[in-house]
Amino acid sequence: MIYQDCLLNQFDTSLNKYNLWLQGITYSGNGDSKPAESNFPPLVSLLEERLVEAYNNADFALIKLIKAYGKEIKTKVDAKAFMKWLSDTRELKPSSRKRYLAILQAVRRDIFGELEIKVPQTPMAKPFTKAEVTRILAYLQDSKHYSVYHDFILLLFNTGLRTSEAIGLQWKNIDLTKKELHIYESLGRSKGSSNRRERKTTKTGKYRVVPINNNVYQMLIKRPKGGKDELVFTSLKGLPIDDHTLSQRCWRNTLKALNIEHRALYTTRHTFVSHCVDSGLTVAEVASITGHNPKVLLDHYLGSVKKPHLPEL
């Protein structure tokens, strides 16, 4: 386009024409003219295409919000009005609006790219104390409804595995002789569906060896052994564990029954990291076990598991 305009002596020195062309917007007039309209499909269509490529709960929820909004979003003014609607009418938290804005910027940077949402800094995740962990596991072990999840949650607390890694753990990944787990896969949600799962690499794509303590070892040797490709942990129906159902029913009800402050199931990972560092392991050693970047581990996962004793001056 630029080459042709130069030949015709019609080069737009403002570059507006070419910038709009790159954004998929039909240009009409000179460099100061307003574009006629966008060539992009409707926002909902763009988001539905993303869902076909890879299912994402946030994308799905955003589609429902745009439909509820009921107005076309084609310009920067429209984009700003929609984000204001999310805040004023739907009263979404800044963190939720920021997550949705990131998605919208990915599909329509031309109209959402200049918007920004500041999220107040939240306190670092509060890990569970050893006493709380003991109470949680004891409750699950004796529970009529939730005992099936006891071993799974014991593993999470004592290895710091990601939930999808623990769900996908197979007997071939366990070496009881060396007392270690070999982690190189997870069982994540399938593309296009939140109900189906498919085997994937770990989040970082890296293989790591996770040592197991005596609690995990004793639990594993008592479990009925399956074939090497069979899952170590399943639901009562023999299906892969549904972490959403687990979180909303078993986990939430257990903490409520024990009068323990509610924290997400993923806090088992924070808890493992914090207690490992508190026991004397270095950040680098813990990061090699959990698969973190050491800086990420320090910034986002390390909580204080005991009050520091300050000197008396």
Side-chain angles (χ1 to χ4, degrees):
M1 177 182 286
I2 294 177
Y3 177 69
Q4 290 176 339
D5 284 359
C6 288
L7 290 177
L8 296 173
N9 198 28
Q10 296 178 354
F11 178 71
D12 176 16
T13 56
S14 73
L15 303 182
N16 286 344
K17 177 179 180 180
Y18 315 115
N19 183 42
L20 294 171
W21 176 74
L22 288 172
Q23 297 172 14
I25 300 174
T26 302
Y27 176 86
S28 62
N30 57 37
D32 297 324
S33 296
K34 184 178 179 180
E37 63 180 85
S38 169
N39 282 335
F40 282 107
L43 264 179
V44 169
S45 298
L46 292 173
L47 292 169
E48 287 174 342
E49 288 179 13
R50 280 170 55 96
L51 285 179
V52 172
E53 293 296 322
Y55 184 89
N56 185 294
N57 287 327
D59 284 24
F60 184 75
L62 182 54
I63 289 173
K64 293 176 67 175
L65 286 169
I66 293 174
K67 289 181 177 179
Y69 182 58
K71 300 178 183 178
E72 291 188 337
I73 306 173
K74 292 185 175 182
T75 68
K76 292 182 179 180
V77 174
D78 296 339
K80 189 174 182 179
F82 174 67
M83 296 308 299
K84 188 174 188 301
W85 178 80
L86 291 180
S87 173
D88 297 349
T89 304
R90 300 306 290 241
E91 299 182 344
L92 297 186
K93 296 185 296 184
S95 58
S96 297
R97 287 185 281 122
K98 185 171 184 177
R99 181 169 66 252
Y100 291 139
L101 178 59
I103 297 171
L104 292 166
Q105 288 175 335
V107 295
R108 289 296 306 272
R109 178 160 289 279
D110 57 311
I111 60 175
F112 285 96
E114 296 178 4
L115 300 179
E116 182 181 1
I117 295 175
K118 294 182 179 179
V119 179
Q121 188 174 7
T122 56
M124 196 174 293
K126 181 182 177 182
F128 292 95
T129 65
K130 288 184 178 180
E132 288 175 328
V133 173
T134 299
R135 291 176 62 205
I136 291 169
L137 293 176
Y139 180 89
L140 291 172
Q141 194 166 40
D142 296 335
S143 173
K144 178 181 178 181
H145 302 290
Y146 304 134
S147 59
V148 66
Y149 296 120
H150 170 271
D151 290 359
F152 179 77
I153 291 177
L154 182 146
L155 182 89
L156 293 179
F157 270 129
N158 285 273
T159 61
L161 291 184
R162 297 180 178 92
T163 310
S164 60
E165 293 171 347
I167 291 173
L169 190 69
Q170 297 170 308
W171 284 107
K172 67 181 180 182
N173 305 133
I174 301 174
D175 189 330
L176 289 175
T177 302
K178 295 183 179 180
K179 292 187 177 181
E180 58 191 27
L181 309 178
H182 296 260
I183 306 300
Y184 49 86
E185 289 181 323
S186 66
L187 202 58
R189 285 186 169 81
S190 175
K191 291 181 179 180
S193 172
S194 63
N195 298 321
R196 295 196 307 271
R197 289 183 174 270
E198 62 182 15
R199 196 153 287 279
K200 304 177 180 180
T201 62
T202 61
K203 185 177 180 180
T204 60
K206 295 181 179 180
Y207 162 82
R208 69 185 193 276
V209 176
V210 177
I212 58 176
N213 59 21
N214 191 57
N215 286 340
V216 174
Y217 176 77
Q218 292 298 328
M219 176 268 290
L220 289 173
I221 61 174
K222 293 175 184 176
R223 286 187 70 82
K225 304 299 182 294
K228 65 177 184 177
D229 292 325
E230 290 186 22
L231 295 175
V232 178
F233 306 102
T234 63
S235 67
L236 283 172
K237 295 181 179 180
L239 300 174
I241 288 175
D242 183 336
D243 56 321
H244 179 73
T245 300
L246 170 61
S247 297
Q248 295 303 312
R249 296 179 185 175
C250 166
W251 184 251
R252 184 178 295 276
N253 291 340
T254 297
L255 297 185
K256 184 177 180 180
L258 295 172
N259 198 27
I260 293 176
E261 178 187 348
H262 183 268
R263 279 151 278 177
L265 178 64
Y266 202 72
T267 310
T268 54
R269 187 160 159 87
H270 295 73
T271 300
F272 175 78
V273 168
S274 298
H275 284 279
C276 280
V277 173
D278 189 60
S279 70
L281 293 176
T282 67
V283 169
E285 287 172 330
V286 179
S288 69
I289 295 171
T290 58
H292 284 112
N293 175 293
K295 184 179 184 305
V296 171
L297 187 148
L298 280 171
D299 291 345
H300 300 287
Y301 285 86
L302 187 59
S304 175
V305 295
K306 66 178 183 181
K307 271 191 173 183
H309 295 285
L310 301 180
E312 301 287 345
L313 302 177

